[in-house]
Amino acid sequence: MIDLKDLAENPEKYRASQRAREADEQLVDRVLTADAERRSALAEFESLRAEQKAFGKKVAQASGEEKQALLEGVKQLASQVKTAEAAANKAQEQRDEIAASFPNVIIDGIPTGGEDDFAVLKTVGTPRDFSAEGFEPRDHLELGEILGAIDMERGAKVSGSRFYFLKGVGARLEMALINMGMDLALRNGFEPIITPTLVRPQTMRGTGFDVEHDDEIYRLEKDDLYLVGTSEVALAGYHADEILDLSGGPLKYAGYSTCYRREAGSAGKDTRGIIRVHQFNKLEMFIYCQQEQAEELHEQLLAWEEEMLQSLGLAYRVIDTAAGDLGTSAARKFDCEAWVPTQGTYRELTSTSNCTTFQARRLNVRERVSDAEGKSKGTRSVATLNGTLATTRWLVAILETHQNADGSVTIPEVLRPYMGGMEKLEPIQR
């Protein structure tokens, strides 16, 4: 949730954020109006309750006919207090509902606009020129089939469209990639964690998802649980309603899970192969930190993602995502997009988001704060960040980039220790 005190003091900052997102600026005024109505209703309730307490003292001191007369007044005042309390509660609910719909305020300087308005921050590596090598590259699905690594046909038979089997060297390659990412995470102080893939509505909402209207989310109605599209959801809820001790530094988790997305709005897009599927595996970095550390740690998450991409020999670019394409919870997001040879374009492999205090406010994750003398100043919200270290989609770029004319694929050197020393994936069919 946004900082309502900050919004009241700096409404123009929030209007500017909404403009950059190409979203409704008037939402700022609706929040302010709803909060004013809440405060007014609460003041009315508290005034009547104080009057009720004072009236009660009069009744206790009275006797006879006077007391009977006062008791009639007590009943009437009790009814007014009950009505006022209900009105105050309703006003609170209405304010909270409107405030919950407000996306995170963006960080100054990011691009404005929508999906196509990103800024390219840098391009790393040179896409491989297959024409100079004298052969036409195969796409990842054709390679996966001749290597015995990907089986889309049986995936569709068993589960429907956009499901698949990774088998043989395909399964080994994904596990090698995840293990390589986990080793990088361990070297940098992350704690490994395998997360639940089903979460409660309050966890999904707390992370920033609109469970009532988001068509991407799978819901198990009978159990009122949701399948996660990223382990970020479970990791964000891990410390819900807790006060953290961050005096020793940020809490860093490397969460591994299977992820599920309905891909409801992608009909006709990337339907071939494993680029856009309903189920995949992902290794996600997640950080709880002090508010002042968030932007520096965001850059660090990006650096770790780039370290993975560079070590795998992939050409890629880094983009600063435009405000209108951030989603609800991110204040800034960097994407790393790898070059996919057969598509002649860059496709997203990683994403890292700085969610500032947005998720922590919704999930009530705080830290204790003290003054220079060590005296407690109460608590405040922490910041949360997330970033992808490896996921199934990476196989697309790895297979296509490192393929050979005979259909074999050279395994990047850094992955070979995780593949039992194997140097090349060889076709099992021609």
Side-chain angles (χ1 to χ4, degrees):
M1 186 175 290
I2 54 170
D3 184 339
L4 294 174
K5 183 175 182 290
D6 188 51
L7 182 144
E9 294 173 352
N10 304 285
E12 185 51 39
K13 179 174 76 172
Y14 289 79
R15 291 190 183 99
S17 179
Q18 288 292 90
R19 283 195 298 273
R21 286 178 173 272
E22 298 183 337
D24 184 8
E25 285 182 62
Q26 295 182 354
L27 186 56
V28 175
D29 298 306
R30 290 201 292 276
V31 172
L32 292 173
T33 298
D35 192 49
E37 291 173 351
R38 178 197 67 85
R39 284 185 279 107
S40 175
L42 185 60
E44 174 68 14
F45 164 61
E46 289 177 343
S47 175
L48 284 168
R49 188 169 59 176
E51 185 179 345
Q52 184 185 38
K53 289 180 180 178
F55 208 83
K57 291 180 180 179
K58 288 182 180 180
V59 173
Q61 294 170 357
S63 61
E65 292 182 2
E66 181 188 5
K67 187 166 188 174
Q68 289 302 314
L70 288 173
L71 285 172
E72 289 300 318
V74 166
K75 291 179 182 179
Q76 184 178 358
L77 194 54
S79 177
Q80 291 176 330
V81 168
K82 186 176 181 180
T83 300
E85 183 178 20
N89 289 338
K90 184 176 181 181
Q92 176 81 47
E93 290 172 4
Q94 290 175 337
R95 193 283 306 268
D96 290 349
E97 184 178 348
I98 295 171
S101 70
F102 207 112
N104 200 357
V105 62
I106 65 168
I107 290 173
D108 287 342
I110 73 169
T112 62
E115 183 179 357
D116 299 323
D117 298 312
F118 58 84
V120 177
L121 299 180
K122 61 180 170 180
T123 301
V124 179
T126 303
R128 187 174 166 188
D129 184 359
F130 287 92
S131 62
E133 299 180 40
F135 74 97
E136 187 73 20
R138 298 173 170 88
D139 75 4
H140 74 280
L141 181 55
E142 183 180 356
L143 287 166
E145 289 173 342
I146 66 175
L147 293 169
I150 303 172
D151 191 334
M152 298 294 298
E153 183 178 348
R154 289 188 176 91
K157 178 179 70 173
V158 170
S159 303
S161 64
R162 301 203 189 190
F163 286 94
Y164 58 95
F165 285 90
L166 288 183
K167 60 177 188 173
V169 293
R172 291 186 66 186
L173 190 62
E174 180 178 286
M175 288 188 284
L177 183 64
I178 296 295
N179 284 324
M180 174 186 160
M182 186 62 82
D183 279 352
L184 186 150
L186 287 168
R187 289 196 301 273
N188 290 286
F190 285 82
E191 181 178 357
I193 186 166
I194 297 176
T195 68
T197 57
L198 286 166
V199 300
R200 293 175 170 176
Q202 55 265 40
T203 304
M204 194 67 96
R205 290 192 195 96
T207 312
F209 291 94
D210 182 354
V211 295
E212 281 80 19
H213 305 103
D214 194 331
D215 291 335
E216 286 296 295
I217 302 171
Y218 284 104
R219 181 187 179 195
L220 280 68
E221 293 188 25
K222 186 174 180 180
D223 303 287
D224 198 21
L225 292 171
Y226 293 84
L227 283 165
V228 300
T230 168
S231 60
E232 170 198 346
V233 178
L235 291 169
Y238 188 63
H239 287 298
D241 298 317
E242 294 181 23
I243 298 175
L244 306 181
D245 180 5
L246 298 179
S247 60
L251 298 181
K252 299 190 288 187
Y253 299 107
Y256 173 75
S257 76
T258 300
C259 307
Y260 303 88
R261 297 182 186 176
R262 294 185 66 237
E263 296 289 356
S266 59
K269 293 170 60 179
D270 301 324
T271 55
R272 179 173 168 80
I274 59 172
I275 290 181
R276 198 182 292 268
V277 290
H278 294 308
Q279 176 184 327
F280 55 95
N281 298 313
K282 183 152 70 86
L283 180 63
E284 185 82 356
M285 299 176 286
F286 193 91
I287 295 178
Y288 293 91
C289 69
Q290 296 175 345
Q291 298 174 20
E292 297 79 10
Q293 300 171 314
E295 290 196 51
E296 180 181 352
L297 284 169
H298 195 201
E299 296 284 350
Q300 184 62 73
L301 286 171
L302 175 61
W304 286 321
E305 292 178 342
E306 289 193 71
E307 183 178 339
M308 283 283 290
L309 291 163
Q310 290 175 25
S311 66
L312 291 165
L314 300 177
Y316 67 94
R317 68 182 184 183
V318 179
I319 68 168
D320 198 353
T321 306
D325 195 32
L326 286 177
T328 301
S329 59
R332 188 175 198 180
K333 180 161 73 80
F334 301 124
D335 286 349
C336 292
E337 301 179 331
W339 181 258
V340 178
T342 61
Q343 296 190 8
T345 191
Y346 292 94
R347 303 304 303 268
E348 178 195 332
L349 289 196
T350 79
S351 177
T352 177
S353 297
N354 179 1
C355 296
T356 59
T357 61
F358 185 82
Q359 293 175 333
R361 289 180 187 280
R362 296 166 77 100
L363 291 162
N364 190 31
V365 186
R366 295 165 292 152
E367 65 160 334
R368 297 192 190 281
V369 289
S370 304
D371 61 19
E373 286 74 39
K375 294 180 180 179
S376 174
K377 295 177 64 178
T379 63
R380 65 171 184 171
S381 298
V382 303
T384 61
L385 304 101
N386 63 79
T388 308
L389 263 187
T391 187
T392 303
R393 187 186 285 192
W394 286 47
L395 302 188
V396 174
I398 292 171
L399 291 174
E400 292 201 15
T401 297
H402 297 299
Q403 65 179 292
N404 303 305
D406 63 357
S408 65
V409 174
T410 300
I411 299 172
E413 189 171 346
V414 292
L415 278 180
R416 293 174 190 173
Y418 302 96
M419 297 283 291
M422 189 185 301
E423 297 182 2
K424 189 179 288 188
L425 308 180
E426 298 286 358
I428 63 170
Q429 55 178 284
R430 300 287 178 178

